[in-house]
Amino acid sequence: MHKNFKNIDKTVFGRGSFDQMDAILAEKRGENNKFILFIVDYYFKGKALEKRIPAKPEDVVMFIDVDMYEPTTDQIDRIRDKVMASNGLPAGIVGIGGGSIMDIAKATSLMFTNEGSSALYQGLNLIKKPGIYHLGVPTISGTGAECSMTAVLTGPVKKLGLKCDWTVFNQLILDPDLISTVPRNWWFYTGMDTFIHCVEAENGTLKNTYSQAYGDQALKLCQEVFINEGCGQSPVNDEKLMVASLMGGLSLTYSEVGVCHALSYGLSKILGTRHCYANCIAFNHLADYYPKGVKEFKAMIEKHHIDLPQNLSKDWTDKQITDMAEVAYNLPHMWNHAIGANWKDTITINLIKDLYKRL
Ligand code: NAD
Ligand code: ZN
């Protein structure tokens, strides 16, 4: 069976396109209880962008700090319950921020129309009804959360997305000006998530021409942003990175991620390491799986003088390493893609533990 994915309904791209939001929302404002819920990264509180949010008196604007932890099912349930109790059902929801805010906006959109806790819907196609209209405005580029069909949440039992066609945004506003303030380390780690998405998507059994066309182009853009002459944070490179993030996301959507993401999920679940940073920590040691990609990655690290910690595993207990290995092992779709249908012949818990011990 070939994958059959829904794409974003509408996308606007370009400097200053943020200011088209008011006109875009005007068409939607008549729905439900006729107000818009804006979910905004707390970073923008008091910044110039706050004044440009086209909120009307009836709208609700929530600033959310994403620094402490990644989005949780509890958090989504609380936002939904609070807004429903005070204002009713929004006409639409707008997420302005990075991958964390994208996921909060996507998940909350679904939970306004599906009963009970979001923890009940962590998995593939468990959501029963379409959510409300949702619009994404990424302010940091790399995760591909702006185009993916999943909203990753940490729940009481698992870290797993609400994954279905209705998760995908109805509208994206891609304004490269918004990513200019991203601190250098985050710019690098999050950008590398795109790079790794493409390398993993292109190296495995699910590789295909459609996915590779997006992946090749995103890799080319990543090279221009991170290694070629003229690389670094600049207006022109911000445009390239924003497009690379989208295309990298599409490349993995139509293929699959692999060994690095499996290890990264273990790090995030057991130690709480942030997704993009965890990917960088793992990818650095996976030259035997992705020789060309890791070589290029190391050159980029060197070029931008990024400090990646080494010998982390010496501080981990055997139990922590075993727990991480179990999380990683239980992602069969990633191993199946990276290694092949017979992956269990070579990939064992002990082998994965050895991979963690390299870090
Ligand atoms: P993030 O949203 O977690 O933000 C990282 C940091 O950058 C935060 O401190 C934030 O305040 C700051 N920031 C954001 N925009 C900024 C700006 N313009 N200027 C200055 N600071 C800014 O970052 P992320 O790496 O994009 O997202 C990580 C999250 O994405 C994780 O929760 C991960 O699980 C999720 N994720 C989702 C998918 C998906 O497909 N849904 C894929 C990968 C990762
Ligand atoms: Zn990723």
Side-chain angles (χ1 to χ4, degrees):
M1 265 282 257
H2 298 288
K3 290 188 174 187
N4 183 11
F5 276 121
K6 185 181 173 299
N7 214 324
I8 305 141
D9 297 340
K10 287 182 137 187
T11 302
V12 50
F13 170 80
R15 294 189 172 281
S17 58
F18 187 86
D19 296 326
Q20 280 173 242
M21 194 193 303
D22 196 23
I24 290 169
L25 289 176
E27 289 178 22
K28 304 290 165 193
R29 284 184 169 277
E31 315 260 310
N32 304 324
N33 291 101
K34 301 187 173 44
F35 72 98
I36 301 289
L37 169 62
F38 292 89
I39 297 203
V40 188
D41 190 321
Y42 192 81
Y43 167 82
F44 293 106
K45 179 89 188 143
K47 305 269 189 336
L49 193 77
E50 182 182 357
K51 295 201 180 60
R52 291 169 59 200
I53 298 171
K56 312 271 186 235
E58 65 274 21
D59 293 342
V60 177
V61 183
M62 265 184 199
F63 286 92
I64 295 184
D65 188 341
V66 299
D67 276 341
M68 298 300 283
Y69 47 81
E70 293 190 339
T72 66
T73 51
D74 264 5
Q75 182 183 25
I76 303 302
D77 299 349
R78 270 187 277 113
I79 296 172
R80 185 246 340 247
D81 294 345
K82 185 165 177 258
V83 173
M84 282 299 265
S86 56
N87 301 67
L89 185 63
I93 175 163
V94 175
I96 304 173
S100 302
I101 295 286
M102 295 293 103
D103 283 352
I104 294 173
K106 286 153 84 176
T108 313
S109 144
L110 296 169
M111 293 317 300
F112 271 115
T113 51
N114 287 274
E115 280 163 28
S117 168
S118 48
L120 298 170
Y121 304 100
Q122 285 181 283
L124 180 63
N125 291 333
L126 300 179
I127 289 283
K128 302 208 166 24
K129 295 180 204 157
I132 60 168
Y133 174 84
H134 49 307
L135 184 163
V137 187
T139 65
I140 174 167
S141 289
T143 64
E146 66 274 29
C147 64
S148 72
M149 63 170 312
T150 185
V152 183
L153 300 179
T154 303
V157 187
K158 47 198 168 189
K159 179 179 174 183
L160 194 64
L162 310 187
K163 205 169 175 186
C164 70
D165 280 354
W166 295 315
T167 312
V168 180
F169 277 114
N170 299 107
Q171 170 86 52
L172 274 187
I173 296 183
L174 299 177
D175 183 341
D177 278 343
L178 303 185
I179 69 171
S180 65
T181 50
V182 172
R184 203 175 61 94
N185 274 11
W186 280 112
W187 164 80
F188 187 83
Y189 300 140
T190 304
M192 283 303 108
D193 195 21
T194 285
F195 179 77
I196 297 166
H197 289 158
C198 299
V199 171
E200 292 191 304
E202 294 196 0
N203 286 281
T205 55
L206 294 176
K207 168 183 165 175
N208 64 78
T209 308
Y210 191 83
S211 156
Q212 192 172 354
Y214 284 121
D216 283 350
Q217 185 60 37
L219 282 173
K220 184 171 164 284
L221 291 167
C222 284
Q223 281 154 357
E224 291 171 20
V225 174
F226 292 107
I227 193 86
N228 290 359
E229 205 184 324
C231 67
Q233 280 180 289
S234 69
V236 66
N237 285 340
D238 287 346
E239 289 191 8
K240 291 176 182 174
L241 187 56
M242 197 161 240
V243 176
S245 174
L246 182 78
M247 291 198 165
L250 292 171
S251 178
L252 94 82
T253 296
Y254 290 98
S255 174
E256 189 49 83
V257 286
V259 181
C260 180
H261 272 72
L263 297 185
S264 158
Y265 268 61
L267 283 166
S268 295
K269 177 71 191 156
I270 304 303
L271 303 177
T273 314
R274 311 283 300 211
H275 176 79
C276 304
Y277 183 52
N279 275 339
C280 289
I281 289 171
F283 197 64
N284 203 23
H285 298 278
L286 293 176
D288 39 356
Y289 293 94
Y290 306 108
K292 187 166 170 280
V294 173
K295 189 166 172 236
E296 231 175 329
F297 172 79
K298 284 182 189 286
M300 292 173 183
I301 292 261
E302 209 178 300
K303 181 107 195 163
H304 298 286
H305 311 289
I306 301 292
D307 269 338
L308 262 191
Q310 306 291 326
N311 300 319
L312 289 169
S313 61
K314 71 174 179 355
D315 297 326
W316 300 337
T317 64
D318 189 60
K319 172 151 187 351
Q320 283 176 317
I321 296 176
T322 307
D323 289 350
M324 287 194 276
E326 275 167 6
V327 172
Y329 187 81
N330 285 311
L331 293 164
H333 51 295
M334 297 184 193
W335 297 107
N336 184 49
H337 167 61
I339 310 294
N342 298 327
W343 63 271
K344 286 190 176 169
D345 293 350
T346 45
I347 303 297
T348 60
I349 293 281
N350 277 335
L351 180 135
I352 301 176
K353 283 178 72 172
D354 286 341
L355 293 180
Y356 279 113
K357 287 176 192 163
R358 293 179 184 183
L359 312 186

